[in-house]
Amino acid sequence: MCGIAGVLHLDGRTASPAILRRMTNSLIHRGPDGEGLWVDGSIGLGHRRLAIIDLSAAGHQPMKTRCGRFVITFNGEIYNYRELRATLETKGYRFRSACDTEVLIEGFAEWGVGLFNRLNGMFAFAIWDKRDRQLFLARDRYGIKPLYYYHANGLLLFGSEVKALVEHPEISSEANPAGMLEYFTFQNFFTDQTFLKDIRLLPAANFLVVKLGGEPHVEQYWDYCFEEPTEVRSDNDYADELDYLFTQAVSRQLVSDVEVGAYLSGGMDSGAITAVASKQLKDMRTFTCGFDLSSASGMELGFDERRAAESMSYTFQTEQYEMVLKAGDMERCLPKLAWHLEEPRVGQSYPNFYAAQLASKFNKVVLAGTGGDELFGGYPWRYYRAVVNDDFEHYIDKYYSYWQRLVPNAELKQLFTPVADDVKHVWTRDIFRDVFKNQHAESLSRPEDYVNHSLYLEAKTFLHGLLVVEDKLSMAHSLETRVPFLDNDLVDFAMRLPARLKLGKLDDVVRLNENEPGEKTAKYFQKTNDGKLILRNVMARHVPAEVLEREKQGFSAPDASWFKGDSIEYVKREVFNKSARMYDFLDRDSVQRMVGLHLDGKENKRLFVWSILNFEHWCRHYLP
């Protein structure tokens, strides 16, 4: 786990070692254990190391193949590197180290881009081919590890974070209002855009290739495929296979030459991971972030999961560490968080920042439960809303309106009045529609088909946003986060599971949605634990029954209460600040009116309030 950066002058100019060092050093928080630079004419590769596997100097990067043709700078972990190494050894390859990086670069020498689909792990890397004078950038299937790039005026830059790119003197840090409009529609990015013009995030499961003197080409090498199985199998067979694959996934991700811990909420996913891992790790450490609820109200009174986490820690005999967040902790960390996060994404992520800070005091590696909900149907109210039993475009319209998480279409135009000319070409409904470009619209004939399309959307967008946030905020503290639910074999299994094993009452709720659209439907959508049915069944083999019976709850602070209570003065100072940078792009009256609805208790606008605060700090950090 590391930070990478690089520069390629496509016009043949010589790369500057001094500039490359500045870019690389901006990522020191991702890799405090060592630095490496390699420059050869117009190409320069940089690396900051967080030593996890093979702590010796033999794992130093950038690294060359034995033949000297290929050079790599790599961020991530390859969990099946031992199997790949054994295969390569049968082909005559010999290795000097015990690290996965050497297996990765020698594997590329053998299989080229065909290597990417052989990799089970999380990765972002750059490989330079000295013979053919071409550069390859690649990112893992799910987007666990980020990789940004810039291409303009004969220059290609790349890095694990945007801050590495803006260190280059040819980057002007020009704002990208189109990306801002996309974010304030979805509270996320569905495309490869960022808040800065010409800086892109390489999409998950894609690679970029460019030859010296040529133009970059981006190609997808893998995609999700949620579909109903064609073979007939018993529910018990599915359950047994899931149990085997889940246990295997956790075990695979324990490979490390440093200690591995785990986040432990009160939920099923992190609890099951801890249950399996603690059987193999002596005195395993677990970490929980709770909340002071003395000023919370309503449904937020149930947001503190410490009691359930403590119970599981006792059951699994882990060494448990906890911290409690209170009103005021958000404003305390927000300037630093916004700098590390770079552009805001899904959710109110500052609890993740503090959780990573806690874990990093004791461990270099931590396991997280990210992915369980998106793969196994953990948000049933979202999928049921999408079932319309109608044509594909009607489905898109209905689901698009649901996913406008911050600002609806009717208000977007007014909100972006200051930059109207810069965003007039952006149609966020089309952005939403393009997520499904690899999906078959004609296949929507059964409720299960709509559910599988919705799972596809969740994985491509919401899950990806969560992974980017998790990477940035853990690496801010030099902490590696691993996500066992995103093991290749487990994901492949989850995609071919029948929808009925993920969601309960599907047929009943479809009829309810169509024929009884009133209070009964609304009540069902507000609270249900019908999701993840087979996962609950299998996890009963690992975690206490009371954990499985709890309704779905996200990792969130009681900010709806805090924003209009203990933190109200802070919110007002930021939003009503006459010099606020956000108003270069957003209409002041619109922002203050929407925030006022929350402060007055008329509407719950906590996500909008968080996004506005985060955006303001981004403007201060990243704009001239």
Side-chain angles (χ1 to χ4, degrees):
M1 182 66 67
C2 309
I4 65 174
V7 54
L8 174 62
H9 288 286
L10 298 170
D11 54 11
R13 286 181 291 156
T14 300
S16 164
I19 292 174
L20 179 61
R21 185 178 299 277
R22 286 214 317 262
M23 294 172 64
T24 305
N25 284 346
S26 72
L27 304 174
I28 191 170
H29 51 281
R30 299 185 70 96
D33 295 336
E35 175 194 43
L37 299 176
W38 179 84
V39 178
D40 182 14
S42 57
I43 179 73
L45 304 180
H47 188 264
R48 292 292 326 188
R49 187 183 187 195
L50 182 65
I52 303 293
I53 296 177
D54 191 347
L55 310 184
S56 73
H60 181 78
Q61 295 185 51
M63 182 182 291
K64 296 180 183 179
T65 51
R66 291 180 72 94
C67 68
R69 176 180 170 182
F70 299 100
V71 187
I72 189 172
T73 182
F74 161 53
N75 168 33
E77 304 289 355
I78 306 302
Y79 302 120
N80 64 332
Y81 78 97
R82 289 169 176 160
E83 295 91 331
L84 292 173
R85 174 173 174 148
T87 300
L88 289 168
E89 286 175 336
T90 65
K91 297 176 177 290
Y93 288 83
R94 296 293 176 263
F95 294 88
R96 296 163 289 190
S97 73
C99 70
D100 52 350
T101 307
E102 188 177 10
V103 174
L104 186 59
I105 186 64
E106 297 292 354
F108 188 83
E110 174 66 22
W111 295 301
V113 297
L115 168 71
F116 304 153
N117 270 314
R118 294 175 178 261
L119 300 176
N120 191 350
M122 52 183 182
F123 57 83
F125 57 77
I127 293 178
W128 176 247
D129 181 344
K130 296 175 66 176
R131 189 191 71 185
D132 294 343
R133 309 296 288 170
Q134 59 182 347
L135 178 70
F136 294 86
L137 306 179
R139 195 163 171 230
D140 65 69
R141 288 184 176 190
Y142 318 111
I144 305 170
K145 305 312 301 176
L147 186 58
Y148 294 87
Y149 70 97
Y150 166 94
H151 172 239
N153 304 318
L155 175 66
L156 183 94
L157 306 174
F158 67 86
S160 297
E161 298 180 11
V162 171
K163 57 182 63 65
L165 278 61
V166 298
E167 284 293 328
H168 196 284
E170 293 187 34
I171 297 288
S172 62
S173 294
E174 183 179 351
N176 177 23
M180 297 172 185
L181 179 68
E182 184 177 342
Y183 171 77
F184 278 98
T185 301
F186 304 116
Q187 207 205 12
N188 198 5
F189 292 86
F190 283 18
T191 68
D192 62 350
Q193 294 201 81
T194 69
F195 278 175
L196 290 178
K197 186 178 180 182
D198 295 327
I199 293 182
R200 303 279 176 167
L201 177 60
L202 184 67
N206 276 247
F207 67 91
L208 178 152
V209 59
V210 58
K211 283 194 173 186
L212 196 64
E215 292 292 315
H217 167 71
V218 176
E219 184 174 331
Q220 186 174 11
Y221 66 85
W222 181 87
D223 200 7
Y224 293 96
C225 182
F226 291 92
E227 60 184 3
E228 292 299 290
T230 55
E231 77 276 15
V232 177
R233 296 180 59 185
S234 72
D235 291 1
N236 286 337
D237 283 347
Y238 279 119
D240 289 342
E241 184 176 359
L242 173 56
D243 192 20
Y244 170 79
L245 292 175
F246 174 75
T247 302
Q248 174 182 262
V250 175
S251 299
R252 278 175 173 167
Q253 299 201 13
L254 297 181
V255 57
S256 173
D257 291 324
V258 298
E259 291 181 321
V260 178
Y263 290 130
L264 185 59
S265 70
M268 174 177 64
D269 297 344
S270 66
I273 289 171
T274 301
V276 172
S278 62
K279 294 177 182 177
Q280 303 176 55
L281 301 177
K282 183 181 179 182
D283 299 324
M284 180 181 177
R285 299 186 186 98
T286 50
F287 309 97
T288 301
C289 192
F291 304 102
D292 175 8
L293 302 179
S294 58
S295 60
S297 61
M299 65 180 296
E300 292 184 331
L301 288 170
F303 279 12
D304 188 12
E305 298 184 288
R306 279 177 293 160
R307 181 175 295 180
E310 288 164 1
S311 176
M312 283 194 282
S313 173
Y314 177 79
T315 299
F316 307 135
Q317 290 296 289
T318 69
E319 186 178 312
Q320 171 77 347
Y321 295 89
E322 298 177 351
M323 71 179 305
V324 182
L325 299 185
K326 56 189 178 301
D329 285 327
M330 178 200 66
E331 56 205 81
R332 186 174 293 109
C333 79
L334 191 51
K336 184 182 292 185
L337 180 149
W339 184 78
H340 281 290
L341 192 56
E342 299 186 320
E343 69 273 340
R345 296 244 171 191
V346 295
Q348 290 165 264
S349 50
Y350 72 90
N352 304 68
F353 182 86
Y354 282 112
Q357 183 182 77
L358 171 65
S360 70
K361 295 180 183 299
F362 302 92
N363 280 72
K364 269 188 171 183
V365 180
V366 67
L367 305 176
T370 313
D373 288 313
E374 292 76 18
L375 293 174
F376 291 94
Y379 310 105
W381 51 91
R382 294 181 186 168
Y383 317 132
Y384 292 143
R385 284 185 186 274
V387 176
V388 295
N389 289 330
D390 205 340
D391 65 272
F392 189 67
E393 296 305 320
H394 184 194
Y395 161 73
I396 293 295
D397 288 337
K398 184 175 182 179
Y399 215 23
Y400 166 69
S401 64
Y402 176 76
W403 272 101
Q404 291 177 269
R405 292 167 60 89
L406 291 185
V407 183
N409 269 10
E411 301 179 49
L412 274 174
K413 183 177 180 181
Q414 178 63 33
L415 180 64
F416 279 87
T417 299
V419 288
D421 289 342
D422 295 315
V423 299
K424 62 185 179 182
H425 65 288
V426 181
W427 295 92
T428 51
R429 192 270 186 189
D430 291 345
I431 289 174
F432 186 89
R433 174 65 174 81
D434 284 346
V435 175
F436 296 95
K437 62 186 179 183
N438 292 339
Q439 299 298 95
H440 302 293
E442 65 276 6
S443 66
L444 289 173
S445 59
R446 302 166 295 176
E448 293 86 353
D449 300 326
Y450 287 96
V451 168
N452 283 321
H453 273 61
S454 299
L455 288 167
Y456 178 86
L457 174 79
E458 293 270 353
K460 295 282 284 190
T461 61
F462 190 72
L463 174 59
H464 178 252
L466 292 174
L467 293 170
V468 172
V469 168
E470 183 60 50
D471 172 84
K472 297 284 188 68
L473 299 188
S474 61
M475 293 305 291
H477 303 287
S478 306
L479 178 73
E480 173 177 297
T481 301
R482 298 181 177 182
V483 282
F485 276 106
L486 298 183
D487 173 88
N488 286 0
D489 293 337
L490 186 55
V491 172
D492 290 344
F493 169 81
M495 291 190 299
R496 66 176 189 268
L497 265 178
R500 63 176 178 80
L501 294 181
K502 298 176 182 178
L503 302 174
K505 305 177 184 177
L506 181 57
D507 291 335
D508 290 342
V509 175
V510 170
R511 288 194 293 271
L512 185 71
N513 191 14
E514 293 175 338
N515 303 322
E516 301 178 45
E519 182 179 347
K520 190 176 180 182
T521 303
K523 186 176 181 181
Y524 180 85
F525 286 150
Q526 288 171 4
K527 234 176 187 185
T528 177
N529 58 359
D530 284 340
K532 299 159 70 173
L533 294 185
I534 189 172
L535 196 61
R536 291 177 187 274
N537 178 32
V538 170
M539 293 305 111
R541 307 176 187 183
H542 301 285
V543 300
E546 59 267 23
V547 174
L548 303 174
E549 293 165 1
R550 298 181 67 209
E551 292 173 330
K552 168 64 185 169
Q553 178 173 304
F555 179 39
S556 180
D559 290 306
S561 300
W562 288 349
F563 285 157
K564 59 187 179 184
D566 293 353
S567 297
I568 190 170
E569 293 305 319
Y570 170 70
V571 173
K572 286 181 176 179
R573 284 199 309 272
E574 296 291 340
V575 173
F576 294 95
N577 178 3
K578 293 182 180 179
S579 302
R581 298 290 304 276
M582 70 175 103
Y583 296 126
D584 292 342
F585 309 96
L586 304 179
D587 178 65
R588 186 183 301 269
D589 290 340
S590 297
V591 170
Q592 293 177 356
R593 178 184 59 80
M594 284 187 276
V595 172
L597 290 172
H598 186 92
L599 301 186
D600 294 340
K602 295 178 180 178
E603 293 185 29
N604 185 349
K605 294 280 189 182
R606 66 183 183 91
L607 293 180
F608 181 76
V609 176
W610 158 257
S611 296
I612 286 296
L613 297 173
N614 203 328
F615 180 57
E616 172 62 20
H617 282 278
W618 177 88
C619 291
R620 297 174 191 174
H621 283 306
Y622 287 98
L623 294 182

